[in-house]
Amino acid sequence: MLDAELALLRAVPIARDMNGQPWYMPIEGQHVFIAGRTGAGKNSWTWSLVLRLAPAWSAGLVRFWGLDPKRIELAIGRGWWDFYADTDEGMVQLLEKCVADMHERMGEMQGVRRSFKPSQETPLNVIIIDEMAYLSLYMVDKKLKERADKAVRTLLTQGRAPGYAVVGAVQDPRVETCGYRNMFPLRIAGGLNEARQVDMVLGEGSHDKGALCEQIPLGLAGAGVAYVLDAENMNEPLMVRAPRCDDATIKRCLKRRW
């Protein structure tokens, strides 16, 4: 019986609010957009998600796909990734492999069932892209960039129902940097440089509702602090903090394999 591990996919205890109460992130049937300036602690969120999902991963209910343009952030825990790429061509091929796997699963579901249920035979796929803007804007090869863009958009438009969850992190949330930010239902805004960027990430009026991301301090004092908004289930942003995951913790948890 894997009831606890399956429940974890619907409510991952990934952060705490300012009163110390846990905040749970749904990852099954979800896409997550994480924005924050350099040093805002975006990887507090991505690594907290991985580590908290470890029991489900060890049980075979989750597969992790890691795209690591900087070749540093995700490589520190290389053993966590079922699939990993850190070169331009490798990342594009990995995205296209993910799309092909997704379409194969959709074919198996067609006419049989409409809802996805994670199992050891059909695990939830969590695709973490450390710097999404690199794929959409900064990749030099135009053809590779177009292929990456097509694959990411396909995953975002089709992936939730068959169990493919995209988690994308960016430093710059402008549309010209990441044109598909509005395709993510769950959004996390860490420290940002300007007040107007808050509404870019969380939606119009979020800054007026109290999401003062530009006031989150730089450095360790503000790392992992963010406002979260689930566009499908929340009316107002909530301030929470994900714990810092240092290199030693990531490696130690991998050795334990939960």
Side-chain angles (χ1 to χ4, degrees):
M1 298 296 290
L2 297 170
D3 291 348
E5 290 81 0
L6 288 168
L8 190 61
L9 304 182
R10 298 186 291 271
V12 187
I14 194 173
R16 291 187 178 275
D17 65 20
M18 295 303 103
N19 295 316
Q21 297 301 307
W23 180 77
Y24 297 89
M25 174 195 287
I27 192 62
E28 181 183 334
Q30 192 62 272
H31 296 311
V32 184
F33 184 70
I34 306 168
R37 63 196 170 210
T38 299
K42 293 184 291 298
N43 278 289
S44 293
W45 289 89
T46 53
W47 275 115
S48 290
L49 177 62
V50 170
L51 299 186
R52 290 295 188 177
L53 283 174
W57 176 67
S58 292
L61 297 173
V62 170
R63 290 190 300 186
F64 292 128
W65 304 62
L67 284 82
D68 194 11
K70 290 181 285 188
R71 307 184 185 186
I72 295 175
E73 298 295 350
L74 304 185
I76 193 66
R78 181 65 182 84
W80 284 105
W81 308 105
D82 299 279
F83 306 96
Y84 173 89
D86 59 13
T87 65
D88 291 8
E89 187 170 356
M91 289 187 291
V92 172
Q93 290 176 346
L94 190 61
L95 286 168
E96 291 176 338
K97 171 180 171 57
C98 192
V99 170
D101 286 359
M102 179 186 71
H103 284 160
E104 181 178 353
R105 180 177 290 182
M106 291 167 69
E108 295 170 352
M109 293 175 62
Q110 189 174 18
V112 179
R113 63 187 186 279
R114 292 185 299 169
S115 60
F116 165 74
K117 183 177 181 180
S119 70
Q120 293 171 325
E121 292 74 30
T122 57
L124 175 69
N125 291 271
V126 179
I127 304 102
I128 295 180
I129 306 174
D130 175 58
E131 183 47 71
M132 185 169 281
Y134 183 81
L135 299 179
S136 61
L137 184 65
Y138 299 118
M139 191 178 287
V140 175
D141 189 304
K142 183 178 179 181
K143 291 184 177 179
L144 285 177
K145 184 163 60 176
E146 290 173 349
R147 286 167 57 189
D149 184 76
K150 180 180 178 181
V152 171
R153 289 181 183 275
T154 301
L155 290 168
L156 289 173
T157 54
Q158 301 179 18
R160 296 172 65 193
Y164 290 75
V166 177
V167 180
V170 299
Q171 296 181 32
D172 182 351
R174 292 176 300 165
V175 168
E176 54 266 38
T177 304
C178 186
Y180 28 72
R181 70 181 185 214
N182 291 330
M183 300 169 74
F184 291 83
L186 199 159
R187 303 174 200 172
I188 299 170
L192 294 168
N193 292 324
E194 302 175 10
R196 64 188 182 92
Q197 292 181 332
V198 177
D199 288 357
M200 292 180 190
V201 179
L202 299 179
E204 194 68 31
S206 294
H207 188 267
D208 290 342
K209 292 179 180 178
L212 307 179
C213 298
E214 80 283 4
Q215 295 184 16
I216 296 174
L218 292 167
L220 291 178
V225 176
Y227 289 86
V228 297
L229 183 68
D230 184 342
E232 298 177 341
N233 300 301
M234 298 171 64
N235 294 319
E236 296 187 1
L238 174 69
M239 188 177 186
V240 296
R241 185 170 197 169
R244 181 171 178 265
C245 300
D246 59 25
D247 296 354
T249 299
I250 293 167
K251 293 177 180 179
R252 183 175 65 252
C253 290
L254 180 60
K255 288 181 180 179
R256 288 171 54 190
R257 294 190 68 87
W258 294 78

